Amino acid sequence: MSRIFTHHPLTHFLHHLEFDFRSSHLHLPSLINSFNLLAKVGLQDQLTMDSYGTDTVKELDQTSEEEYATQSKLIKEFITIPSIDKAWIFNSGSGNGCHESSNLLANKRRKFMLSGHISKESSNLSVNFHWAPFPVEMTGASAFVPSPSGLKLLVVRNPDDKESPTSFEIWSSSHLEKEFHIPQKVHGSVYVDGWFEGISWNSDETCVAYVAEEPSLPKPTFDHLGYYTKDNVGLDKDIGSWKGQGDWEEEWGEAYAGKRQPALFVINVDSGEVEHIKGVPRSISVGQVVWSPSSKGSAKYLVFAGWLGDKRKFGIKYCYNRPCSIYAIKFRDASSGSDEPKDNAKEAFPIHNLTKSISSGFSPLFSKDGKFLLFLSAKTAVDSGAHWGTESLHKINWPSDGKLSELADIVDLIPVVNCPDDGCFPGLYVTGLLSDPWLSDGHTLMLSSYWHSCRVILSLNMLSGELSRASPNDSDCSWSVLALDGDDIVAVCSSPVSVPEIKYGKKVVDPAGRPSWQWLDIQNPIFKSSEKVTSGLSSLEFKILKVPVSNVSECLTKGAKKPIEAIYVSSSKSKENGICDPLVVIVHGGPHSVAPCSFSKTLAYLSSIGYSLLIVNYRGSLGFGEDALQSLPGKVGSQDVNDVLSAVDHAVEMGLADPSRITVLGGSHGGFLTTHLIGQAPNKFVAAAARNPVCNLASMVGITDIPDWCFFEAYGDRTHYTEAPSPEDMSRFHQMSPISHISKVKTPTLFLLGTVDLRVPISNGIQYVRALKEKGVEVKVLVFPMTIIPRQTDYESFLNIAVWFNKYCKL
């Protein structure tokens, strides 16, 4: 599909795909960002900051203007490359799929669907995908949830304001069957992403359970004379009245600012009647709801994850160390002839905590036969304080009679791996499970997880406990399972030098009965890369470097002494002339995150304009076992800095980098490392770029949504946390921060800051910028009216990063 719809020179479209099989139906969202950007507009919108609080548009000389114009055209070509991350399989009928994105310039959300089908030849392994020619826009849609049979589709449309109702639409294969508008007095917006996301059809497709904002709490109201009134009784709007602000309530931090308490609701898809599920205390924030198995004579339960927020709600986005449990509450279906007494209709059922013996439980999922309840756990993160850790997978028996008091003990399916043997499974690192991850045998589970610097597809046999890789063992690309077609797999694959592609895995069984998958390439119908992109990527290659750590003599665990990995991306053309391209060292945030061997539009853009990349997964990264991850807390600013410097020196020693043309780039904790590196190694880097960097833990701890992060990373345990840091705490925070090395900094640095970032508030970067300007270091600051994370900021951020690096690397 190559047709691009444009209505304005500054439009940015997202095209979504729906695929339906002849024998099964796949619904695949694909992100195609397409917009026409005038170079002049990019220049006019570029804001820099000379001093805090003063925005000015800087005049550009002709050379700079020409470079911006050239680079803006090229980065636009890379932004249009599609990414694929979600799919649905149906056994019959047809349905729709969608994925959410944002308009880079207008900051609007638009969604499209494109349908197709697939045919398979039973006599061989050939698979043919057939695509519809045009997408259909789904204006204002927030979520798309197909029913278990695939015959119905729920479309949720959240309002843009806090007064309008939420819309629920029930679609069949050919038309809109029903539409319900849920007013704000019933509930606010439905949670459609993040921890609290949860929308689930029941098995007979008569009800949908979901998580939404609870109704607004009443606020005190006063008449024109200043007297308190109740329920607006006797108020004359013409005379005037006002409402008080009400009590302040804790929020879940970044991405949840302004969101009300998540609560559990069920809508009847025939009548549109909405029931607010009672019995869940307000101290529990709910999410990830699923229905219990349907069996004759047994009670129906809603099973969900819940996070306690009775004392303090820390930021929860990207934070797996928040205690959570799997809960269940009985659901009374009035239309099913329940034997519950009518006089109990208003009473709430008791809530059951199914995972009391473990500190973390989320992503509940029932086995295909309904005998087991599975869930993921981040207990290593909760128990230690790390914001992400090596996960585990567990199951509990689900009683057929619905008597939850007879639940069995929690059984480990995939335990935490501390120190993996070379070449062996390094532990589980997965953000969630597919809604239907089972093969046809009913006991083989498919999931995706990080394995060192790659993402792989794993197969788990619940009966034997055997865990194996389903994606190719010899592949250094990243693979993610999108959906299952019986025993076959629909996946997406990419690398730092190859755009995302659809792959189809056909299951084969060896003589011993062990399954494996033969992977077929699927023609990409979505989008054809431009000649500039194709040309830019054609000469690129990558490899994963093993870098020995520098402090093996220290008292480290075995897993923390193993080599780290760095992904090296370069152009084959640079080898031909014997001159190394300038190197960009890229450090990820977290620090307990990972930079996988997958495609990044912005990094591919940097590679295409003549930069080699060194993407470092220092100790503390995911995918290498818990020992290596837990070796970093208490040593941030030293061990992670040394690991990055070791990787840079290793690349130089191998002849992969010119030591006179090395730059560094990172955001959040990656910005922490970037500003540490230019202070601790002031002669190593010719230029730097930091996106919302953590520059001073001492000034950040009192205003961030995750103050516990400051304590844990500085001390290495969670016992030191307090809401009132002592002078000794503040001194340690300062000593471990980049600002303690600021007297040595001389590297020209570009800062990209977000004005409403709750995690790393803008003041943290501004303080550091002012200190650099005071000592005469060249700096440039771009300020965005949002956080620095959203996709909307990538275009202007990396356009300016490229121009900034070009200036000092003399490209």
Side-chain angles (χ1 to χ4, degrees):
M1 188 274 295
S2 59
R3 179 67 62 86
I4 300 296
F5 301 97
T6 57
H7 299 286
H8 187 277
L10 294 183
T11 47
H12 171 131
F13 281 98
L14 177 67
H15 293 183
H16 298 286
L17 302 185
E18 166 206 330
F19 302 83
D20 57 275
F21 286 62
R22 290 176 182 171
S23 58
S24 57
H25 304 272
L26 169 66
H27 303 276
L28 177 67
S30 173
L31 184 150
I32 301 180
N33 303 325
S34 175
F35 60 95
N36 302 319
L37 179 66
L38 301 181
K40 273 291 184 181
V41 174
L43 296 176
Q44 292 167 356
D45 287 347
Q46 180 198 337
L47 292 180
T48 60
M49 205 168 196
D50 285 325
S51 61
Y52 185 52
T54 304
D55 292 339
T56 60
V57 179
K58 289 195 172 181
E59 295 295 330
L60 301 173
D61 57 36
Q62 184 175 355
T63 302
S64 297
E65 185 170 340
E66 290 175 354
E67 183 172 14
Y68 271 99
T70 301
Q71 294 299 337
S72 67
K73 292 177 182 178
L74 182 58
I75 193 173
K76 184 208 71 170
E77 301 290 342
F78 279 86
I79 293 294
T80 61
I81 298 172
S83 59
I84 308 166
D85 61 3
K86 192 177 294 183
W88 300 298
I89 291 285
F90 298 144
N91 292 325
S92 62
S94 62
N96 304 281
C98 188
H99 168 69
E100 181 176 288
S101 184
S102 302
N103 185 316
L104 290 181
L105 299 174
N107 194 25
K108 294 181 180 178
R109 300 183 185 277
R110 308 188 72 171
K111 298 176 178 63
F112 293 79
M113 295 188 296
L114 181 65
S115 62
H117 66 269
I118 190 172
S119 59
K120 294 182 284 187
E121 299 292 338
S122 58
S123 58
N124 53 48
L125 292 177
S126 66
V127 177
N128 298 309
F129 280 68
H130 308 275
W131 314 108
F134 301 106
V136 176
E137 182 175 3
M138 299 294 288
T139 305
S142 303
F144 298 78
V145 187
S147 66
S149 69
L151 298 178
K152 295 181 180 180
L153 176 74
L154 170 66
V155 179
V156 179
R157 302 181 192 273
N158 279 327
D160 293 331
D161 57 75
K162 290 295 184 180
E163 303 298 328
S164 301
T166 297
S167 173
F168 282 70
E169 300 172 1
I170 308 297
W171 289 80
S172 69
S173 59
S174 58
H175 66 284
L176 175 63
E177 288 187 352
K178 295 186 177 163
E179 182 176 9
F180 308 110
H181 297 280
I182 315 302
Q184 288 286 324
K185 66 180 181 181
V186 177
H187 63 68
S189 295
V190 177
Y191 282 87
V192 295
D193 55 24
W195 280 115
F196 306 127
E197 175 185 7
I199 305 176
S200 177
W201 290 80
N202 65 355
S203 59
D204 57 10
E205 303 183 356
T206 59
C207 293
V208 174
Y210 60 95
V211 178
E213 295 175 297
E214 68 176 7
S216 297
L217 296 175
K219 297 180 179 180
T221 306
F222 304 88
D223 65 14
H224 67 290
L225 297 177
Y227 293 103
Y228 172 78
T229 62
K230 185 177 181 181
D231 299 327
N232 295 325
V233 175
L235 286 182
D236 188 341
K237 293 183 179 180
D238 294 332
I239 296 177
S241 64
W242 73 91
K243 287 187 177 182
Q245 290 300 307
D247 293 341
W248 172 74
E249 284 197 276
E250 292 271 13
E251 296 175 338
W252 287 107
E254 188 69 56
Y256 293 101
K259 289 277 192 179
R260 302 200 295 269
Q261 175 80 6
L264 198 57
F265 298 85
V266 172
I267 184 170
N268 184 298
V269 299
D270 292 324
S271 66
E273 181 180 353
V274 175
E275 178 181 352
H276 182 183
I277 303 301
K278 307 296 184 181
V280 181
R282 289 197 81 252
S283 59
I284 297 176
S285 294
V286 303
Q288 305 173 352
V289 61
V290 295
W291 292 87
S292 67
S294 179
S295 58
K296 188 175 182 180
S298 66
K300 290 183 180 179
Y301 283 87
L302 295 172
V303 179
F304 54 92
W307 289 261
L308 283 175
D310 50 346
K311 294 182 179 179
R312 166 71 190 267
K313 290 181 180 177
F314 293 101
I316 199 170
K317 186 175 183 179
Y318 306 127
C319 299
Y320 289 75
N321 62 335
R322 308 305 178 210
C324 53
S325 297
I326 304 296
Y327 296 92
I329 190 167
K330 189 181 294 185
F331 175 72
R332 178 191 293 108
D333 187 355
S335 64
S336 65
S338 171
D339 57 0
E340 296 291 336
K342 292 183 179 180
D343 56 358
N344 288 338
K346 298 297 183 181
E347 295 181 7
F349 286 114
I351 184 174
H352 302 269
N353 186 338
L354 308 181
T355 57
K356 288 182 179 179
S357 63
I358 192 170
S359 58
S360 171
F362 58 94
S363 293
L365 173 75
F366 282 95
S367 59
K368 211 171 186 68
D369 58 12
K371 294 182 178 180
F372 302 105
L373 174 64
L374 282 76
F375 65 93
L376 289 168
S377 176
K379 59 183 180 180
T380 59
V382 174
D383 296 345
S384 69
H387 278 236
W388 200 347
T390 310
E391 296 167 345
S392 51
L393 181 67
H394 309 269
K395 73 174 182 178
I396 54 180
N397 292 321
W398 186 262
S400 58
D401 58 5
K403 295 182 180 180
L404 298 185
S405 59
E406 299 178 8
L407 286 174
D409 294 335
I410 295 174
V411 177
D412 294 349
L413 291 175
I414 301 180
V416 172
V417 175
N418 291 309
C419 179
D421 293 332
D422 292 344
C424 295
F425 174 62
L428 194 62
Y429 306 89
V430 54
T431 57
L433 302 171
L434 294 177
S435 59
D436 184 11
W438 304 102
L439 297 186
S440 60
D441 59 18
H443 58 256
T444 301
L445 176 74
M446 308 302 299
L447 48 83
S448 305
S449 179
Y450 294 117
W451 187 308
H452 293 184
S453 295
C454 296
R455 191 166 175 84
V456 303
I457 301 174
L458 299 174
S459 168
L460 171 66
N461 186 310
M462 288 182 56
L463 300 181
S464 66
E466 183 178 0
L467 183 72
S468 60
R469 284 175 69 162
S471 51
N473 289 324
D474 58 353
S475 173
D476 282 337
C477 299
S478 282
W479 296 70
S480 292
V481 58
L482 296 173
L484 301 179
D485 179 23
D487 289 334
D488 300 332
I489 304 173
V490 179
V492 62
C493 171
S494 73
S495 79
V497 302
S498 59
V499 300
E501 296 178 340
I502 304 169
K503 302 287 185 179
Y504 194 86
K506 294 285 292 182
K507 181 184 175 183
V508 294
V509 180
D510 66 14
R514 291 186 296 266
S516 62
W517 283 263
Q518 294 186 7
W519 291 96
L520 310 176
D521 295 330
I522 301 299
Q523 182 181 4
N524 190 345
I526 310 162
F527 179 81
K528 301 300 181 184
S529 299
S530 68
E531 291 185 7
K532 290 182 180 179
V533 169
T534 302
S535 175
L537 296 177
S538 62
S539 63
L540 298 180
E541 55 191 22
F542 78 99
K543 57 184 173 183
I544 300 176
L545 307 179
K546 300 286 186 179
V547 181
V549 298
S550 59
N551 57 343
V552 291
S553 60
E554 296 181 7
C555 297
L556 296 170
T557 58
K558 180 181 177 182
K561 296 180 180 181
K562 293 189 174 185
I564 63 170
E565 290 186 353
I567 305 165
Y568 178 70
V569 183
S570 63
S571 171
S572 58
K573 295 179 181 178
S574 64
K575 296 180 179 180
E576 297 174 1
N577 55 31
I579 301 175
C580 291
D581 289 332
L583 182 72
V584 181
V585 178
I586 297 165
V587 282
H588 65 73
H592 309 302
S593 181
V594 64
C597 260
S598 58
F599 188 77
S600 163
K601 303 173 189 181
T602 50
L603 297 186
Y605 158 69
L606 290 180
S607 298
S608 73
I609 62 174
Y611 287 96
S612 295
L613 309 179
L614 188 68
I615 307 168
V616 184
N617 283 319
Y618 46 86
R619 281 171 294 172
S621 301
L622 305 176
F624 297 85
E626 189 66 8
D627 282 358
L629 187 147
Q630 291 290 348
S631 70
L632 178 58
K635 303 174 186 176
V636 293
S638 55
Q639 178 176 291
D640 45 4
V641 169
N642 290 332
D643 282 356
V644 175
L645 292 175
S646 294
V648 174
D649 292 341
H650 185 74
V652 171
E653 291 169 3
M654 293 179 65
L656 303 177
D658 178 353
S660 67
R661 294 198 297 171
I662 300 177
T663 64
V664 61
L665 163 64
S668 192
H669 186 85
F672 173 87
L673 289 178
T674 296
T675 46
H676 254 304
L677 287 162
I678 61 177
Q680 295 191 42
N683 299 313
K684 183 77 72 173
F685 306 97
V686 297
R691 308 182 74 190
N692 269 30
V694 177
C695 298
N696 188 351
L697 292 168
S699 64
M700 174 179 159
V701 67
I703 54 177
T704 178
D705 68 332
I706 53 169
D708 61 313
W709 179 89
C710 300
F711 283 90
F712 177 73
E713 298 300 342
Y715 284 102
D717 60 61
R718 62 185 313 156
T719 60
H720 287 79
Y721 177 74
T722 173
E723 294 285 355
S726 67
E728 292 76 20
D729 293 332
M730 301 301 277
S731 176
R732 184 175 181 90
F733 291 153
H734 182 272
Q735 292 171 8
M736 302 187 76
S737 297
I739 205 164
S740 66
H741 300 279
I742 201 162
S743 63
K744 297 174 285 184
V745 177
K746 54 187 178 182
T747 305
T749 305
L750 169 66
F751 291 84
L752 305 110
L753 309 175
T755 59
V756 294
D757 198 305
L758 300 182
R759 187 134 304 175
V760 187
I762 188 173
S763 57
N764 214 253
I766 292 298
Q767 179 191 26
Y768 190 85
V769 166
R770 284 174 164 170
L772 288 182
K773 295 180 75 172
E774 184 179 49
K775 65 189 300 292
V777 177
E778 185 175 1
V779 298
K780 178 179 179 179
V781 185
L782 268 68
V783 177
F784 297 87
M786 57 189 74
T787 68
I788 202 68
I789 299 300
R791 200 175 285 116
Q792 298 98 302
T793 66
D794 280 352
Y795 177 88
E796 189 173 356
S797 294
F798 279 85
L799 171 61
N800 280 276
I801 288 169
V803 173
W804 185 256
F805 286 172
N806 288 351
K807 178 179 178 181
Y808 298 98
C809 291
K810 297 179 176 60
L811 280 185

